[in-house]
Every structure is written in C-alpha cells, then in structure tokens.
C-alpha cells in the first residue's frame, strides 16, 4: 500500500507577522523539521503544499531534491487550509497513491515513530 504525506506548508503566518517556516530552530528552519521526519518515515512520497509565490528558501536543497519530496504550488492556498489539502489529494490521486496522511509544517516535534505507527495501524 502506497501511503503519502500531504505536508501543509502554505499558510500565511499572519499571527506570527513573519514567515514562521523560515524561523530558525537550532540549525534548521521550523518548516524543515517535520519534513525531515516525514522523509525518514515509511511514507512513500511527501507532497509539500506551498503557496504559488513561495520560493521555498526555508527548505534545504537536499530536502527539495529528495526522491520522496514533491513541491506542489497551490494556486488557491490563500482561500484556506482545505484548498491546500485539496491540492495534495489531487496530486496523490494523479500518482495512484492508496492513502494519505496529513503532516503539518509547523509541527516540529512529530517523530518518525509516530508516523510509522500510524502507517502500521492503517495496514492492520
């Protein structure tokens, strides 16, 4: 079973006042922490949903170039999180993915064990 992650990273950071995904946490950006975890998990692919104007400078090149990582600019992301989710689901459907898991870009403390356990539950 092919299970992909839909990595929601197209928010506006209005309350933060700056792009929170670019904020540093240790040696990484906030937005790259959960993606690194997702890339190390058993997910088949990760669709990183971003605003159409996002240059994705908050992600290291090795993550952008990772074989599991697909950057998906979402033209309707400004209309709300459901539109970003719709863009991710559409991408997954086009790639014949069997199931998806939503991963939030501003959830830096998720672990590979949590993701893999959820995948195992899906298989069960």
């Amino acid at each position: 079973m092919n299970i992909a992650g839909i990595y929601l990273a197209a928010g506006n950071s209005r309350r933060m006042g700056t792009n929170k995904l670019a904020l540093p946490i240790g040696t990484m950006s906030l937005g790259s922490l959960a993606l690194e975890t997702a890339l190390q998990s058993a997910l088949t692919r990760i669709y990183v949903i971003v605003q159409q104007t996002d240059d994705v400078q908050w992600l290291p090149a090795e993550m952008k170039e990772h074989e599991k990582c697909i950057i998906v600019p979402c033209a309707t992301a400004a209309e709300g999180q459901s539109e970003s989710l719709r863009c991710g689901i559409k991408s997954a459907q086009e790639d014949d993915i069997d199931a998806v898991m939503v991963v939030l870009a501003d959830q830096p403390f998720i672990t590979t064990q949590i993701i893999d356990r959820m995948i195992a539950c899906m298989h069960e």
Side-chain angles (χ1 to χ4, degrees):
M1 178 179 280
N2 290 321
I3 302 174
I6 296 178
Y7 194 75
L8 297 179
N12 292 316
S13 302
R14 274 182 238 128
R15 291 176 297 203
M16 187 66 69
T18 187
N19 182 1
K20 67 181 167 186
L21 299 180
L23 293 174
I25 295 184
T27 60
M28 300 179 77
S29 66
L30 172 65
S32 66
L33 287 172
L35 182 58
E36 178 181 57
T37 300
L39 290 170
Q40 294 173 0
S41 76
L43 290 168
T44 303
R45 181 170 293 145
I46 297 98
Y47 300 100
V48 180
I49 312 302
V50 297
Q51 291 185 26
Q52 212 163 21
T53 58
D54 191 343
D55 61 8
V56 200
Q57 291 298 313
W58 48 271
L59 273 182
E62 62 270 11
M63 285 188 197
K64 290 186 258 189
E65 295 164 5
H66 193 284
E67 63 184 10
K68 286 186 179 184
C69 184
I70 299 171
I71 308 294
V72 180
C74 181
T76 56
E79 295 176 29
Q81 194 174 53
S82 64
E83 287 298 313
S84 294
L85 189 55
R86 185 185 321 265
C87 287
I89 291 170
K90 182 180 180 215
S91 294
Q93 287 173 327
E94 290 170 357
D95 290 340
D96 291 323
I97 296 295
D98 300 308
V100 296
M101 177 186 301
V102 176
V103 181
L104 305 178
D106 60 357
Q107 192 174 32
F109 302 116
I110 192 160
T111 65
T112 304
Q113 293 80 11
I114 291 171
I115 293 172
D116 288 346
R117 182 65 191 131
M118 291 176 73
I119 291 169
C121 287
M122 177 71 175
H123 286 288
E124 291 170 14

